Amino acid sequence: MKKYFAYDALEREFTTHDTLEEAKSQAQDYVDHTFDIGADNGFGDDLEDGIKETCFGVALGGFDLPTRSLTKEEEDIYGDQYTYMVENPVLVEYPQNNGWIKCSERLPERAERVLVLDDDMSCYFAALKFEGNRKYWELECYDQNIGYGVNVSFDEILYWRPELDLPQD
């Protein structure tokens, strides 16, 4: 399931991607191409709109096209012409993580304070740190042997999300 998209507003075409970074890069390529056309030929409203309306994001759903094997009756009718039958399209809503981002898909900026979930689904404030080639998470929690600033293995954190805004009165 490719749940990220890039939209080329000039050509009115969508492409789907496995990661947000791929979608972002494709959208940038679309904008660069449109800008190059304008640089060579001048910018009209269509090119300006094509740049301003090109976007990328997360697809909330899509469609599946289920197939099934031929029945004996259909095999008799169609012979070797078909190997399966196509069923009606089915709407598929992709699971949403309510703002949580898989670490395998994208990481926060270095030292950015974020919320993280570990492999036990415990939640902490943390920052991603680098020490040479080593990546680790510095958690803002208390450990009786260490105090605050507990470091955990990079692989133990599965999800992260930007720090939530506190209520304003």
Side-chain angles (χ1 to χ4, degrees):
M1 153 180 73
K2 294 185 176 193
K3 68 177 199 175
Y4 300 97
F5 70 87
Y7 174 63
D8 181 350
L10 184 67
E11 298 295 329
R12 294 178 169 36
E13 293 179 354
F14 280 93
T15 53
T16 57
H17 304 275
D18 291 318
T19 68
L20 183 59
E21 290 305 314
E22 289 172 3
K24 215 185 275 190
S25 177
Q26 182 64 61
Q28 183 68 56
D29 289 347
Y30 291 150
V31 168
D32 291 343
H33 176 73
T34 304
F35 183 82
D36 289 344
I37 292 170
D40 291 341
N41 302 311
F43 288 92
D45 289 343
D46 59 333
L47 292 180
E48 289 182 23
D49 290 345
I51 289 172
K52 292 176 185 176
E53 294 172 5
T54 293
C55 59
F56 61 92
V58 178
L60 299 178
F63 291 88
D64 192 13
L65 193 59
T67 60
R68 64 173 173 77
S69 300
L70 295 166
T71 65
K72 180 67 175 142
E73 183 179 298
E74 290 168 335
E75 285 178 359
D76 292 341
I77 294 169
Y78 300 114
D80 292 336
Q81 188 176 4
Y82 301 110
T83 57
Y84 61 89
M85 296 299 284
V86 176
E87 297 288 326
N88 290 327
V90 176
L91 174 70
V92 178
E93 292 190 44
Y94 299 152
Q96 301 300 309
N97 286 325
N98 299 325
W100 290 99
I101 301 164
K102 283 185 181 181
C103 292
S104 61
E105 293 180 1
R106 180 168 59 102
L107 293 172
E109 296 294 319
R110 174 186 240 164
E112 175 185 0
R113 187 174 191 248
V114 297
L115 289 171
V116 296
L117 285 174
D118 66 12
D119 46 11
D120 292 328
M121 291 295 135
S122 297
C123 186
Y124 306 96
F125 284 107
L128 183 61
K129 302 285 183 149
F130 294 85
E131 192 173 276
N133 290 336
R134 182 177 163 256
K135 286 188 257 187
Y136 64 92
W137 293 93
E138 185 175 271
L139 304 183
E140 291 181 20
C141 61
Y142 183 77
D143 180 287
Q144 63 185 4
N145 298 320
I146 304 171
Y148 286 97
V150 176
N151 297 335
V152 299
S153 164
F154 178 72
D155 296 331
E156 289 179 55
I157 302 299
L158 304 178
Y159 296 92
W160 69 276
R161 70 175 298 149
E163 186 177 352
L164 299 173
D165 292 329
L166 296 175
Q168 303 290 321
D169 284 334

